[in-house]
Amino acid sequence: MFVKKPPLLLTLGTALVLMGGGAIAYWATQQRLGTARGMPTGARAIPDNALLVVSVATDGGQWQQLRQLGTPDTQASFDQRLARWRDRWLTQYDLDFATHIQPWVGPEVTLAWLPQPLTEGDADLPALIPGEENRLLLLPIADAEAAADLASTLPIPSNPEAAVEYRGVTLTPYDPDGAGGVEPLWTGVLGTALVLIADDQMAAEQAIDAYRGGRSLVDLPGFAQAVDGAAIAQPFSKLYINVPAAIQYLAQSSQPPIPPAIITSLQASRGLVASIGVSSQGLQIQSSSWLLPDSDRLYTAQTPIPAALPQYLPQDTLMLASGSNFQQFWEDFSAGRTLGALTALDPDALALSLQAGTGLTLEEDLLPWLGGEFALALLPQTAAAPTDPSATLPNPGLVLLAQASDRPLAERTFAQLDEVVQSRYRFQLKQTQRQDIALTQWVSPFQSTTLAHGWLTASVAFLTVGPDIDAAIAPPPDRPLTTAPLFQLVMGNAPKQHNGHFYLNLEALAQGGDNLFLPQIPPEGQGFVQALRGIGVTATILDERRLRYDLFIAMQRGDRPGPLPAVPEASTPGEE
């Protein structure tokens, strides 16, 4: 942990002293640094087996914009954390970012974690988990003259006698207490363009090997194409995750254990990259994941389509999850090829429960006509909903929509369901007409539960659960979800042609009571959730090996931030 190490930025003085004077053409160095095509700064010096890579902007304006997001409480909490980092890394060593670093550093800096080398006694530990060691910090030099001028003024000690030469790079250790009580940090300069700081000598040498022609992040198969697919204008942060390592960590720490077949399937994904942008209304995230070149698993080619079903839902919809093809979704879910494989949902158990409860089989009675777009939505209960405490199902209401690929077969399925709920469960069936839409309502004994089904168009079938929920969609609303300002905000940057949506209106959910469909939020997380307005995620299959995700997190906007607060000296030691 950082509490056992000196601040990484404190070694900059040692590194800068090693640099010669003279201005360099910053733009000409970017191909070597790996910033071409939106890659993280220093990608050429990051070994291709890196576990996690995070780049953040050095522009103070973007940090100010980020600090303005949230409620007053979350803003204050975030500022306190930034202040602790500032005091621990800079202030207590008489360093100031604006004075000593900003004049020469490039537009972003990069932090990377490398795999832990295991010893014989570590055989039972995860082999690819980011630890407290093996970190690299890479800072691009945008102005070498300014860096050289400032280097001579930094009161930071080094240990030049212990310096070593490795492949033409001088690595100098920084021992914070001079007594050898902790492992030193190692600093060096790659060419004249990049400051390297590492937790240990081995990590520094791995970075030099990559930079001198070894396999780096730039050479990772599929990485460049994924970066292209995740690029946004002026990102605040860039992210890379080694997916097989992440899955291995989940597999070894998950309770109950994840089945080996699911682990193997999920580890077919080689990595995930993301670009994160900050706006006045929230965070925009565009990401891309890709499969291993020799993977037997391929994404099923599905033609992206414009989503049609959200237009049949009202503006006050609380949650929406949709896809372009239910048949393909169920095939992938059953094979463990989706994130649903990490949940407790068992597809075989779900199919058996459906058959036991209704007599219908998923493969023979439902999947043959569920070949189009589908959607699951939660709606708030209407004012006409019963207030009887015994009427506990559901809150909020549930809506299922499906684009039927075979209407006659779908109608036979609904007829079978009508017979089952009437004969087996003693529901009362009511046939009614609302404008030009025919409805079949199932009313349970004592009227504690009401379900309804019908057709909104010649091909769009619906099923609702909850008193009067059917009235919210049949007939389709005059003000559909697609016109809701929050929906437009979180989905506005997503591709119009895609393969699925996820939308969550957290503002409305925070105002509602307990319900059966959403988990309770722990008290310690309430403040964070109150800072969020809504979330939108759109998934698109780019080709047989690449997926794209567009995500927007809408947040409350607070007061314009002022200077970071002073943090009492007693609170700094040991803080993260």
Side-chain angles (χ1 to χ4, degrees):
M1 294 177 62
F2 278 111
V3 295
K4 298 180 181 178
K5 295 286 184 179
L8 294 179
L9 293 182
L10 297 182
T11 64
L12 289 179
T14 301
L16 296 177
V17 170
L18 303 175
M19 291 186 295
I24 58 174
Y26 179 66
W27 64 269
T29 68
Q30 300 312 292
Q31 291 290 337
R32 291 182 64 195
L33 293 181
T35 56
R37 302 186 305 278
M39 289 189 181
T41 291
R44 177 61 68 185
I46 300 174
D48 66 349
N49 64 344
L51 308 176
L52 176 66
V53 179
V54 180
S55 298
V56 293
T58 57
D59 174 42
Q62 291 197 62
W63 281 97
Q64 286 290 92
Q65 198 169 31
L66 179 63
R67 289 175 56 206
Q68 193 166 0
L69 297 176
T71 64
D73 287 344
T74 60
Q75 281 184 287
S77 176
F78 185 59
D79 281 356
Q80 286 287 338
R81 183 170 293 274
L82 286 180
R84 288 194 292 269
W85 292 343
R86 172 206 61 197
D87 289 355
R88 185 191 330 143
W89 294 351
L90 297 171
T91 305
Q92 63 180 328
Y93 295 95
D94 297 323
L95 293 178
D96 178 76
F97 179 82
T99 302
H100 299 109
I101 299 173
Q102 197 167 44
W104 59 265
V105 78
E108 70 177 18
V109 298
T110 301
L111 183 64
W113 283 260
L114 304 185
Q116 286 269 41
L118 296 182
T119 65
E120 185 176 349
D122 294 330
D124 294 332
L125 297 178
L128 295 174
I129 304 306
E132 298 173 5
E133 315 294 332
N134 286 35
R135 288 172 299 197
L136 302 175
L137 181 62
L138 301 165
L139 300 98
I141 306 166
D143 189 333
E145 280 193 57
D149 290 342
L150 285 169
S152 60
T153 67
L154 297 179
I156 300 177
S158 63
N159 186 5
E161 293 79 11
V164 297
E165 289 286 328
Y166 184 77
R167 301 190 68 177
V169 177
T170 302
L171 292 174
T172 304
Y174 168 62
D175 187 348
D177 58 10
V182 296
E183 291 294 325
L185 291 178
W186 293 78
T187 65
V189 179
L190 302 179
T192 58
L194 196 66
V195 174
L196 162 68
I197 302 171
D199 274 312
D200 56 40
Q201 184 178 348
M202 182 181 295
E205 291 176 354
Q206 287 179 301
I208 295 171
D209 287 339
Y211 186 77
R212 293 297 192 205
R215 291 196 58 80
S216 71
L217 204 59
V218 175
D219 303 310
L220 191 65
F223 180 75
Q225 294 86 344
V227 168
D228 284 341
I232 63 174
Q234 297 182 325
F236 169 76
S237 179
K238 299 170 187 174
L239 174 71
Y240 161 72
I241 299 175
N242 184 325
V243 172
I247 297 302
Q248 180 180 345
Y249 173 76
L250 289 175
Q252 298 192 30
S253 61
S254 176
Q255 291 297 330
I258 302 173
I262 293 178
I263 295 172
T264 301
S265 178
L266 292 175
Q267 285 187 321
S269 179
R270 178 59 187 88
L272 181 145
V273 297
S275 296
I276 303 169
V278 182
S279 75
S280 61
Q281 299 187 76
L283 301 177
Q284 176 193 353
I285 303 172
Q286 186 167 305
S287 68
S288 178
S289 66
W290 73 101
L291 300 174
L292 290 165
D294 58 351
S295 172
D296 294 333
R297 170 194 167 190
L298 298 176
Y299 297 122
T300 302
Q302 299 181 38
T303 302
I305 61 172
L309 298 185
Q311 66 183 308
Y312 298 109
L313 297 168
Q315 277 193 341
D316 59 356
T317 296
L318 302 175
M319 188 195 79
L320 164 70
S322 69
S324 59
N325 186 315
F326 186 83
Q327 291 174 349
Q328 188 60 54
F329 164 79
W330 187 260
E331 180 181 331
D332 292 340
F333 180 55
S334 300
R337 295 195 292 261
T338 70
L339 291 179
L342 296 178
T343 69
L345 297 177
D346 183 342
D348 292 334
L350 291 175
L352 289 174
S353 296
L354 172 70
Q355 184 172 1
T358 66
L360 302 177
T361 63
L362 195 68
E363 291 76 11
E364 296 179 5
D365 297 309
L366 294 176
L367 290 182
W369 60 270
L370 288 173
E373 186 183 359
F374 65 98
L376 168 69
L378 299 182
L379 272 58
Q381 285 283 14
T382 64
T387 57
D388 185 346
S390 64
T392 56
L393 292 175
N395 177 22
L398 178 67
V399 176
L400 296 169
L401 300 174
Q403 192 91 31
S405 52
D406 187 333
R407 175 160 178 166
L409 183 56
E411 288 181 330
R412 288 198 294 271
T413 299
F414 280 121
Q416 290 177 269
L417 285 173
D418 289 342
E419 172 63 25
V420 169
V421 298
Q422 188 174 33
S423 61
R424 183 183 302 183
Y425 298 105
R426 304 302 180 185
F427 274 61
Q428 180 183 1
L429 267 63
K430 294 182 179 180
Q431 305 291 336
T432 185
Q433 189 84 13
R434 188 175 294 123
Q435 294 188 13
D436 58 348
I437 296 177
L439 294 167
T440 299
Q441 294 180 331
W442 305 335
V443 181
S444 67
F446 310 109
Q447 299 188 347
S448 60
T449 304
T450 301
L451 299 90
H453 68 82
W455 295 86
L456 298 177
T457 69
S459 61
V460 177
F462 72 87
L463 173 68
T464 66
V465 184
D468 296 317
I469 294 299
D470 57 279
I473 65 166
D478 294 331
R479 296 191 300 167
L481 176 60
T482 51
T483 65
L486 182 60
F487 186 87
Q488 292 178 338
L489 171 63
V490 299
M491 298 297 184
N493 292 317
K496 302 305 178 186
Q497 307 272 335
H498 57 80
N499 298 105
H501 269 329
F502 177 77
Y503 166 74
L504 193 60
N505 185 339
L506 287 164
E507 278 184 317
L509 285 168
Q511 299 171 5
D514 296 340
N515 61 75
L516 298 176
F517 298 108
L518 298 171
Q520 291 297 305
I521 300 171
E524 58 271 19
Q526 292 286 346
F528 173 73
V529 172
Q530 289 173 1
L532 306 180
R533 298 180 53 212
I535 298 173
V537 184
T538 301
T540 308
I541 299 175
L542 298 178
D543 54 45
E544 62 182 10
R545 294 192 179 276
R546 291 187 301 153
L547 287 178
R548 168 177 166 172
Y549 299 94
D550 292 81
L551 186 148
F552 194 95
I553 303 174
M555 302 183 67
Q556 306 290 348
R557 188 178 182 187
D559 298 331
R560 184 177 181 85
L564 289 179
V567 177
E569 185 176 349
S571 67
T572 14
E575 296 281 358
E576 283 298 331

